[in-house]
Amino acid sequence: MSAKAVFVACALGFAAALGAVRPLSGIQPRLVQAPAAAGEPVAESYAIVASRAVMASPAWRDATVEALRKKYPHAQLYTWEKDVAEVRAALGQQLPAFTAFVVTPEEAGVHFTIALHTLCRALDDDPYPDTFWGVITGYDPEAARLLAEASPIAIERALDCAGCDLTPFAEAWRYSEDHRGTMKHWKRGQTTEPESLPCNTDNTRGVLERLQRDKVQFLTTSGHATQHDWQMGYCGPNMAMVHKEGRLVAIDTQKTGYFASNPEPKVYFATGNCLIGDVDQTDCMALAWMRDGGVRQFMGYTVTTWFGAQGWGTQGTFVGKPGLYTACEAFHFTNTSIVHWLEAQPIADLRAFRLREIQQFNQPMTPGIHAYALAQLKAGKGENEVRELVKNLSGNLHDRDTVCFYGDPALDARIAGGPYTLLPPRYDAQSQVLTLSLQVAEGATDGALWLRLPGSWTYGCEASPSPGKSLLATGEADLALDNLLRFPNARLSLAAGQTLEVRLLNAKPKGTP
């Protein structure tokens, strides 16, 4: 799908999403100016959900489950035999902040991805995702260990092939899917904006140099793709990336292949690619990138993508406020936005819909969407307007369940050097106040602000500033869930050099008396 087409589709879906805000009857937290929070650091809850196949293999169990338990000694372990939904009740009782789903390649793929989205929205009574999750798997156990044992990634260097903003990074390069013969280069402190530079119309050498010599830590792609290749560009022959026995191979326009191994730990958003996130067999693109390409977290569609809300939304959220969100948080916040928009629609069968028939360019059409479209036509709306409405409904429904996030969900992988620093949450047990603190430097921008809550908490119906503290945000949270808050109009640019706080009163972890 081209960048232009995806941006149009994404704008249609998320322009509506940002405008579909429902008032909350519960907590009304505000951002306040305040000193650093007092109290004890908050422990993050973590769950490991492993298949019986993983647990039955000493090699797989040691490389994944035991590696995660060593990394997170407090983690709870759950296993399932035939269906991951078997752990719903136990997982719902814990409601962990993070959940790692550990599977062999044979158990991963599109249907498992849909099952995970469904499960993680069903852990409590609300329709939203209840835990930040990621899939741990690999070409072999040792490749899966790379994901389980991954260390934090402070992202400074990026290679963009999907049209994202380059300026949040210390250094970044872009090869366009639509224009050959030029590239963009950005280096902080060297220019005021990305420079256009001439380059070969065959980008194989350039991409390999960025990956292997410049050791980029963040990669985005669009263009044609399947489970077994990525084809760069739409306007003539260009490079392709394929795989062979778990290794990456770059192929130029003369059909010459080059091994493309690049072990620098990185995050990869296959933002606009079809199918590349689907593990349809052990030897596939996703697992080759994780084994041979340094990828420690990976986001990709497991089906064909035509709307792009989850992919482009995740990229925009991650890059739009550099350093504030981890890669997993950006993915989760975007998915929550999609669910929130769908929940606001007057169509009863959207929540229960499950994509079961996997086919090319699947465009879900529920009976409810069909009836709603007919009603809008009868009410006098034009055909083009109704067609766009149906596309938004079908597109968001399509993207809600079909994109997979691979890697340790608690991994701190974020853009380095941004104007946002989120301090560890702190809890005062005596006053039962949970405090989130955000330091904002020059360069912060106003707009929607998401804050992840540390696990599943209960709290009072208000969050008030301390006496004498001035408000530094317009409005209140328009979405307040057990594990996150969203402020639609945070005035962060006014807080350069200050610390902002969200204080949640009467707070305690769920399950405590």
Side-chain angles (χ1 to χ4, degrees), residues 51-75:
S51 70
R52 179 55 59 190
V54 168
M55 298 301 293
S57 165
W60 273 96
R61 185 176 67 249
D62 179 70
T64 56
V65 173
E66 297 306 324
L68 287 169
R69 294 178 80 174
K70 183 177 180 180
K71 193 175 183 181
Y72 306 108
H74 59 284

Side-chain angles (χ1 to χ4, degrees), residues 379-440:
K381 287 192 176 181
E383 289 186 6
N384 288 338
E385 185 178 0
V386 173
R387 187 177 295 111
E388 291 299 324
L389 175 63
V390 169
K391 183 166 72 172
N392 287 335
L393 289 164
S394 182
N396 278 291
L397 197 58
H398 173 277
D399 274 33
R400 184 190 67 182
D401 298 340
T402 58
V403 184
C404 195
F405 189 90
Y406 296 91
D408 176 3
L411 181 67
D412 191 341
R414 69 181 80 219
I415 298 171
Y420 309 95
T421 302
L422 190 62
L423 303 179
R426 302 184 72 83
Y427 182 59
D428 189 322
Q430 184 173 1
S431 62
Q432 290 191 323
V433 173
L434 175 65
T435 304
L436 310 179
S437 300
L438 174 65
Q439 291 180 343
V440 184

Side-chain angles (χ1 to χ4, degrees), residues 146-184:
L146 296 173
L147 272 63
E149 294 183 344
S151 299
I153 305 174
I155 298 170
E156 296 181 320
R157 301 173 301 280
L159 170 59
D160 168 52
C161 303
C164 83
D165 184 7
L166 303 183
T167 59
F169 305 95
E171 188 168 17
W173 298 262
R174 174 186 298 150
Y175 294 98
S176 171
E177 62 181 14
D178 292 325
H179 304 286
R180 301 171 70 205
T182 59
M183 61 172 286
K184 292 280 189 180

Side-chain angles (χ1 to χ4, degrees), residues 8 92 95 153 159 188 196 359 393 434 471 483:
V8 170
L95 282 177
I153 305 174
L159 170 59
R188 187 178 296 150
S196 292
Q359 57 188 3
L393 289 164
L434 175 65
L471 294 175
N483 58 359

Side-chain angles (χ1 to χ4, degrees), residues 322-372:
L324 180 55
Y325 310 127
T326 68
C328 183
E329 287 172 346
F331 175 83
H332 183 93
F333 294 151
T334 301
N335 194 255
T336 300
S337 279
I338 291 173
V339 174
H340 183 59
W341 186 81
L342 289 169
E343 285 294 310
Q345 307 310 309
I347 303 173
D349 61 358
L350 297 181
R351 185 186 299 187
F353 173 79
R354 302 289 179 268
L355 188 66
R356 303 186 190 282
E357 184 181 1
I358 309 302
Q359 57 188 3
Q360 190 175 21
F361 303 120
N362 191 300
Q363 188 166 347
M365 177 63 73
T366 70
I369 294 176
H370 186 260
Y372 185 64

Side-chain angles (χ1 to χ4, degrees), residues 32-55:
V32 302
Q33 178 180 343
E40 295 298 321
V42 175
E44 297 279 23
S45 53
Y46 197 103
I48 303 167
V49 178
S51 70
R52 179 55 59 190
V54 168
M55 298 301 293

Side-chain angles (χ1 to χ4, degrees), residues 227-286:
Q227 296 94 333
H228 304 289
D229 68 338
W230 164 52
Q231 303 170 43
M232 186 178 179
Y234 287 96
C235 54
N238 209 331
M239 68 161 289
M241 191 76 77
V242 297
H243 61 88
K244 181 178 176 61
E245 298 177 350
R247 299 191 65 184
L248 294 171
V249 179
I251 301 178
D252 66 17
T253 54
Q254 301 303 309
K255 307 303 181 184
T256 302
Y258 305 87
F259 283 115
S261 177
N262 55 108
E264 181 71 21
K266 64 177 62 65
V267 173
Y268 180 6
F269 287 172
T271 306
N273 298 120
C274 296
L275 295 165
I276 198 169
D278 180 25
V279 177
D280 66 336
Q281 61 185 46
T282 300
D283 199 14
C284 65
M285 287 299 295

